[in-house]
Amino acid sequence: MAEGINKSNNTLIKRERGKGFPKLSLASSVEVIEKASKYGRQWTREQFATFGSKAGSGSAKSGAFLNRLAALRDFGLIDTNGVIITRTELADQIVKPVKPEEKENAVRQAFLNVDIFKAIVETVTHGVDLSKSDIAEMAVKQLGVIRNVKDTFVSSFIESGKLAGIVSE
């Protein structure tokens, strides 16, 4: 568990830490990498912060930027050494596919690169429909997602899975 300070009464509080997952959907992540790719294959953190930000002038220290960066890393679309961000081979297949099916396969692989998404796909019997509440229950009880972010998880899983052609609603 992580710790923090309750500012109202200066007491120490324990925050629950759960299994991580991309807060940004795969569709949004692909959009960011496509936009960034118009400006090359490598970027500084400051340059990359502007791609995908609502105003086009994001900060490399903002929570939104860090969530974007984490999602792109989780999907396997970028590598970073802390200073320079580089588009991966998988992202190349999405941004500059030789054939349309190369992009489709790369998007599917990006989805399955997220361990927690892959675990759900591998657990569910082919052809079995899961409700949103079933996905949430599995994520919380079996995979370690904390309860207060289960809805965010379900949205990210469904949105991302749709783009990958793995989930239908």
Side-chain angles (χ1 to χ4, degrees), residues 44-87:
T44 64
R45 289 175 66 88
E46 290 73 23
Q47 287 171 318
F48 201 78
T50 63
F51 307 127
S53 67
K54 296 207 186 304
S57 60
S59 164
K61 295 179 182 176
S62 73
F65 169 73
L66 296 175
N67 281 338
R68 249 190 332 273
L69 201 62
L72 287 157
R73 195 177 319 112
D74 289 347
F75 287 124
L77 302 179
I78 61 165
D79 285 324
T80 181
N81 65 8
V83 178
I84 300 294
I85 297 165
T86 306
R87 189 176 70 209

Side-chain angles (χ1 to χ4, degrees), residues 19-58:
K19 177 80 171 151
F21 63 91
K23 308 296 184 288
L24 192 68
S25 73
L26 181 55
S28 295
S29 296
V30 167
E31 201 175 294
V32 170
I33 202 70
E34 286 175 339
K35 184 175 181 181
S37 293
K38 293 176 184 174
Y39 302 95
R41 195 168 191 281
Q42 287 188 327
W43 315 272
T44 64
R45 289 175 66 88
E46 290 73 23
Q47 287 171 318
F48 201 78
T50 63
F51 307 127
S53 67
K54 296 207 186 304
S57 60

